[in-house]
Amino acid sequence: MRFVKTEDLKAGMRLAKPIYNKDGVLLYERNSQLSTNGISSVKNFGLIGIYILEPAEPVPPLTEEDLEFEQLQTVYMFKLKECMDLIQKRQKLDPLYPFLQDIIKHYGSLDHRVNFNQNLRSGEDFMYKHAISTAILLAMMTSHIKFSPRKQMVVITAALLHTFGYIYVPKHILEKGPAITQDDQEVIWHALQRGLDRLSMYTNSYDFFPRAYALMQTFIHMDNPESHIAAPDPDLGVMVNMLKVAVRFDQLTAMSVGYEPVSEIMAMRDLMGAPDVYHPNNVTALAECIHIVPRAASVDLSSGDKGIILVENTSDFMRPVVLRLSDNQIFDLSNNAVYKEIQIVDIMKTMDNRIDVDEDTLKQFVPDAELSKMASRFRANLKRIHEREEREEWERRVGEKNNYDARA
């Protein structure tokens, strides 16, 4: 798979990802060959490029849920653009409520983790795609933390509209990516403030909008020394921190031309490494909503070898059961003794930043039935180890207390 800029597309190239119109109607399936009309459609959509399959390359595996995610990302981008166009024109924001309801319907009540597949961004569509991804993450996180429907509306609205001010940022600054200067940051901050001023006219449009506006205002002003807004109340502070977590995760893992995104593992390490900035409860909520190290993912190991994930660890994504390919040895990283010997360094990604999945290799080494039996044995052994360690720790503490009492 390789990325090809729009101006370099040629008829006959095979699509690696589907293309949808603004209503979510499939225009071009994966593996379909581009025609001259198809190339014109790509240009008309304003896409900076697409991912193309090599001549003999098979189509990457995608589940129905993954395909729906791709579809909804496109639909939501156009819905958000419609809302932002209305804001620019100072017109009623009637489409916002059904838009929020649709996001909550699809991602605000999930009972399982999802593959959070990123999309390619340009300076022209950055603010839309960033807002959509952040909103989807927060829909899942607020559901996981059991927010009320109204509070979900507040947080998701803020996620969608906090980027509105980017329409006032010059395109050449948006395309700089990580290379922006301090002066560029000043331009961006003033643009975001200008966006807030325009959004203030909608505080009476919906009962949840004033709170969403306060959330956006606090988020945009929080790191600017020129700001003089009051400190948020505790409840608003929690929502601000959730927004910070989702925004940072999306920024780190998003794709754009000229910028190499990091893996989900590296992004989570960044978040967990700054507990004073990103509250651990919110980081944990994020980790429990999306797959970080799923089954069949290809990983780099601390031994210098490659591995395949056999059993995902839903309690600690860095401690799954992994197959080392160099010698077909299996390691249960949830076992402390094993974890001291070998760890996961990073997860391998495909060209379009998807987790590199190798189901075929996994099945070649371990049939599903055997894998289930093996996993049960691993968990049973782990339980006994944990019980022994807890008993030994309790005995150690009792011994220390008795020694202290004796000395006293």
Side-chain angles (χ1 to χ4, degrees), residues 7-210:
E7 59 266 28
D8 297 327
L9 292 173
K10 295 185 173 80
M13 289 181 169
R14 291 189 303 140
L15 290 174
K17 300 179 71 173
I19 297 178
Y20 301 93
N21 70 7
K22 67 178 183 178
D23 297 316
V25 176
L26 181 65
L27 299 179
Y28 301 96
E29 293 188 40
R30 295 186 304 147
N31 202 37
S32 60
Q33 292 188 343
L34 273 177
S35 62
T36 302
N37 289 337
I39 294 174
S40 297
S41 297
V42 171
K43 292 178 179 178
N44 291 336
F45 281 166
L47 299 176
I48 59 175
I50 55 178
Y51 287 103
I52 296 296
L53 295 172
E54 299 294 349
E57 184 180 1
V59 181
L62 280 179
T63 66
E64 289 298 320
E65 187 174 62
D66 291 336
L67 290 170
E68 182 183 50
F69 191 89
E70 298 261 356
Q71 179 188 41
L72 289 174
Q73 281 181 318
T74 300
V75 172
Y76 289 165
M77 187 182 74
F78 283 103
K79 285 181 180 292
L80 180 58
K81 189 176 186 306
E82 178 187 8
C83 288
M84 289 191 173
D85 287 346
L86 291 173
I87 295 170
Q88 282 187 275
K89 298 173 183 176
R90 298 180 181 272
Q91 296 180 358
K92 287 186 177 181
L93 206 50
D94 293 336
L96 178 63
Y97 186 79
F99 183 19
L100 294 170
Q101 288 287 85
D102 196 69
I103 293 176
I104 291 174
K105 171 187 172 184
H106 284 97
Y107 298 105
S109 58
L110 293 177
D111 58 358
H112 62 280
R113 285 176 167 83
V114 302
N115 293 320
F116 187 72
N117 295 323
Q118 282 286 18
N119 45 28
L120 185 65
R121 300 172 187 181
S122 67
E124 294 179 343
D125 61 21
F126 152 78
M127 70 177 190
Y128 305 113
K129 291 181 177 178
H130 171 58
I132 294 301
S133 292
T134 304
I136 290 174
L137 288 172
L138 285 168
M140 294 186 286
M141 291 168 64
T142 53
S143 173
H144 186 77
I145 298 177
K146 308 298 183 186
F147 270 24
S148 67
R150 185 179 182 279
K151 284 183 69 175
Q152 280 191 296
M153 288 280 195
V154 168
V155 176
I156 299 171
T157 298
L160 289 174
L161 300 181
H162 80 280
T163 64
F164 174 72
Y166 279 103
I167 65 172
Y168 303 118
V169 179
K171 182 181 176 182
H172 74 274
I173 293 180
L174 290 177
E175 291 180 341
K176 284 186 177 182
I180 61 172
T181 65
Q182 184 64 40
D183 290 340
D184 295 333
Q185 290 176 338
E186 282 293 315
V187 172
I188 292 173
W189 185 82
H190 286 293
L192 291 173
Q193 177 57 54
R194 185 179 173 187
L196 279 176
D197 294 341
R198 179 61 63 90
L199 288 168
S200 65
M201 67 177 289
Y202 294 98
T203 51
N204 294 324
S205 298
Y206 299 100
D207 63 348
F208 56 83
F209 205 97

Side-chain angles (χ1 to χ4, degrees), residues 149-407:
R150 185 179 182 279
K151 284 183 69 175
Q152 280 191 296
M153 288 280 195
V154 168
V155 176
I156 299 171
T157 298
L160 289 174
L161 300 181
H162 80 280
T163 64
F164 174 72
Y166 279 103
I167 65 172
Y168 303 118
V169 179
K171 182 181 176 182
H172 74 274
I173 293 180
L174 290 177
E175 291 180 341
K176 284 186 177 182
I180 61 172
T181 65
Q182 184 64 40
D183 290 340
D184 295 333
Q185 290 176 338
E186 282 293 315
V187 172
I188 292 173
W189 185 82
H190 286 293
L192 291 173
Q193 177 57 54
R194 185 179 173 187
L196 279 176
D197 294 341
R198 179 61 63 90
L199 288 168
S200 65
M201 67 177 289
Y202 294 98
T203 51
N204 294 324
S205 298
Y206 299 100
D207 63 348
F208 56 83
F209 205 97
R211 191 67 166 166
Y213 182 79
L215 174 51
M216 289 184 279
Q217 187 179 45
T218 304
F219 178 79
I220 289 172
H221 283 268
M222 63 185 175
D223 293 326
N224 194 293
E226 298 179 14
S227 302
H228 301 287
I229 62 170
D233 58 76
D235 186 57
L236 187 64
V238 170
M239 291 189 282
V240 169
N241 195 267
M242 292 183 72
L243 182 55
K244 286 176 65 175
V245 169
V247 163
R248 179 62 175 167
F249 182 85
D250 181 68
Q251 288 173 336
L252 289 171
T253 59
M255 296 174 289
S256 61
V257 174
Y259 172 68
E260 185 71 23
V262 304
S263 69
E264 286 83 352
I265 285 180
M266 301 307 291
M268 292 303 296
R269 283 176 177 161
D270 180 272
L271 295 173
M272 292 186 294
D276 294 338
V277 180
Y278 310 106
H279 197 284
N281 288 349
N282 295 327
V283 177
T284 298
L286 172 61
E288 292 177 350
C289 291
I290 62 177
H291 290 293
I292 308 295
V293 187
R295 180 182 184 273
S298 300
V299 293
D300 292 318
L301 302 173
S302 57
S303 61
D305 302 298
K306 305 296 183 184
I308 301 293
I309 302 303
L310 298 181
V311 182
E312 181 179 7
N313 189 329
T314 55
S315 299
D316 185 344
F317 59 84
M318 291 299 288
R319 295 193 173 205
V321 176
V322 60
L323 170 72
R324 187 166 65 185
L325 296 178
S326 61
D327 57 6
N328 297 344
Q329 189 171 350
I330 296 172
F331 299 89
D332 180 8
L333 302 187
S334 61
N335 184 317
N336 288 335
V338 175
Y339 190 73
K340 290 179 181 178
E341 178 184 348
I342 192 168
Q343 302 92 38
I344 293 173
V345 175
D346 203 355
I347 195 164
M348 297 171 64
K349 308 291 286 190
T350 61
M351 175 68 181
D352 64 343
N353 206 35
R354 295 181 189 278
I355 293 172
D356 191 11
V357 175
D358 196 349
E359 290 277 4
D360 292 336
T361 298
L362 186 153
K363 292 176 181 177
Q364 176 183 342
F365 288 98
V366 186
D368 288 347
E370 291 300 318
L371 176 59
S372 298
K373 294 178 182 178
M374 181 196 65
S376 297
R377 290 197 301 271
F378 273 124
R379 299 308 177 213
N381 291 336
L382 179 61
K383 183 179 180 181
R384 287 194 293 270
I385 291 171
H386 285 172
E387 289 174 347
R388 185 181 71 247
E389 290 176 345
E390 289 175 356
R391 184 172 62 254
E392 291 173 350
E393 177 66 13
W394 180 80
E395 290 173 349
R396 183 186 64 80
R397 291 183 179 182
V398 169
E400 288 179 351
K401 182 178 183 302
N402 290 338
N403 290 336
Y404 176 81
D405 292 342
R407 288 195 302 270

